[in-house]
Amino acid sequence: MKRKLLTLLFLGALFGCSKADVVSDDTDGVAIDFNNVQTRAAITDASQIQDFGVWGFVEDYTIFNGDKVYKEGGVYKYDTPRYWMKDMSYSFFAVHPYGTPVTIDETGETRGYSIAFDTPVAADVDLMTAHKDVIASVDSEGNYPTVDLKFAHALSLVKLQIAKHGKNSENRIVITSIVLGGISKSGTYNTLTNEWSDHNGSISLSTANITLDNGDITFHEVITGMFVPQSINYNTVSIRINYDFYTSNGEGEWVPDEESYTANSYLPIGEWEPSKSYVYKLTLSAVDNNISFKSPEVATWGTPNPSGTIIIQ
């Protein structure tokens, strides 16, 4: 069934499109469908994407302009249907979460997008983007395509794990706080170059009340955050550990030292890249306050360890 001018003429008015001749008699009553959302890596899977903003273009005309696509009843929906026009070229760009500010650059031959992002206090927002070019062709069964958006992470996933040194294996260490600080808080992401710029501000993450008990020298994950990709320069990203040290009295009781301790250090020099995870393993040698680091484990975000893991020497 053909749907002629009225639907897309209305859409042109809705989005301020001044070139209404984009509408043709080849417009079919088949709405554009986004129900094939995928992730290239963990959010951990597409079922966790509840909404995203979408931009869409047919040739040089805007048909979606940051519109919200949301999941309802297990299906992705948007409020005003747009309809395919047979054999026209479409381009789609999407950002999760919905409401993320996006600037479109149309000065070059390729349409580009830049995203201004500010890390929230908990560093728990997973910024993701997707791009898809589609030709509105009909398959052998008369079906138009579904827009299969494949989202990729734009941030760096950073994890901090801690263990006590072997020489303290028979002691109890109670960590009262760990603070990871000096991380750039905001930046601008260029989707064409996959690069970040305009780094600004600073953010810290902290945790508390971790007990490393007698005989426990395993690594415990204490901090996890998603951050703007950035260079980690000499003495920039700091770590501070406040803790109490306990010794057994031989009668089943743990006796604390009279004073509490603080250990300070910095993350090793390196580079955080988009869509990669970084696991820092640090060892606390109590009383002498020494923090030592293993080289971070780097993996494509969502790749199970040890498969795909690169150890940075």
Side-chain angles (χ1 to χ4, degrees), residues 90-109:
Y90 289 76
S91 178
F92 298 96
F93 176 73
V95 175
H96 168 82
Y98 170 74
T100 303
V102 173
T103 301
I104 302 174
D105 178 11
E106 300 196 62
T107 57
E109 294 183 2

Side-chain angles (χ1 to χ4, degrees), residues 56-70:
F57 306 88
V58 53
E59 306 298 345
D60 291 328
Y61 302 88
T62 302
I63 57 171
F64 290 92
N65 190 18
D67 294 63
K68 184 176 184 177
V69 177
Y70 54 94

Side-chain angles (χ1 to χ4, degrees), residues 49-287:
I49 300 179
Q50 296 301 313
D51 59 45
F52 55 88
V54 66
W55 285 256
F57 306 88
V58 53
E59 306 298 345
D60 291 328
Y61 302 88
T62 302
I63 57 171
F64 290 92
N65 190 18
D67 294 63
K68 184 176 184 177
V69 177
Y70 54 94
K71 182 176 281 189
E72 186 177 279
V75 177
Y76 287 104
K77 300 179 178 181
Y78 56 94
D79 290 336
T80 304
R82 279 68 156 176
Y83 295 89
W84 292 111
M85 290 185 292
K86 188 176 179 181
D87 298 329
M88 297 290 282
S89 297
Y90 289 76
S91 178
F92 298 96
F93 176 73
V95 175
H96 168 82
Y98 170 74
T100 303
V102 173
T103 301
I104 302 174
D105 178 11
E106 300 196 62
T107 57
E109 294 183 2
T110 303
R111 184 180 288 111
Y113 305 87
S114 62
I115 300 170
F117 183 78
D118 190 60
T119 308
V121 173
D124 58 353
V125 171
D126 190 356
L127 177 66
M128 306 179 76
T129 65
H131 178 264
K132 182 69 175 181
D133 292 327
V134 178
I135 302 295
S137 58
V138 180
D139 65 19
S140 59
E141 297 180 356
N143 297 317
Y144 275 95
T146 297
V147 184
D148 54 338
L149 293 170
K150 297 181 180 180
F151 282 86
H153 301 282
L155 301 178
S156 301
L157 175 64
V158 178
K159 298 182 179 183
L160 190 68
Q161 300 179 355
I162 189 170
K164 62 183 177 181
H165 195 279
K167 69 181 182 181
N168 302 129
S169 63
E170 302 305 315
N171 300 102
R172 171 180 286 178
I173 296 175
V174 177
I175 296 172
T176 55
S177 69
I178 299 177
V179 181
L180 185 66
I183 302 168
S184 291
K185 186 175 189 289
S186 62
T188 301
Y189 179 50
N190 185 317
T191 63
L192 287 180
T193 63
N194 197 34
E195 294 178 347
W196 284 81
S197 61
D198 303 326
H199 294 86
N200 197 17
S202 180
I203 188 172
S204 300
L205 277 187
S206 62
T207 188
N209 300 324
I210 301 158
T211 298
L212 305 178
D213 229 330
N214 173 33
D216 181 6
I217 57 172
T218 59
F219 283 95
H220 298 264
E221 194 161 291
V222 291
I223 287 180
T224 299
M226 290 169 280
F227 300 103
V228 170
Q230 57 196 273
S231 297
I232 308 303
N233 299 317
Y234 179 70
N235 286 2
T236 55
V237 178
S238 62
I239 178 167
R240 183 177 73 251
I241 303 174
N242 298 311
Y243 65 95
D244 296 317
F245 187 79
Y246 292 76
T247 304
S248 174
N249 65 1
E251 299 177 357
E253 296 179 347
W254 291 101
V255 180
D257 281 10
E258 293 182 357
E259 60 179 315
S260 296
Y261 300 92
T262 299
N264 294 283
S265 189
Y266 294 90
L267 291 189
I269 295 172
E271 198 79 28
W272 292 350
E273 299 179 20
S275 199
K276 287 189 177 181
S277 66
Y278 299 82
V279 181
Y280 292 89
K281 294 187 175 183
L282 62 92
T283 302
L284 174 64
S285 180
V287 182

Side-chain angles (χ1 to χ4, degrees), residues 29-41:
V30 180
I32 296 173
D33 183 5
F34 293 100
N35 278 290
N36 195 14
V37 173
Q38 305 173 40
T39 57
R40 290 179 181 161

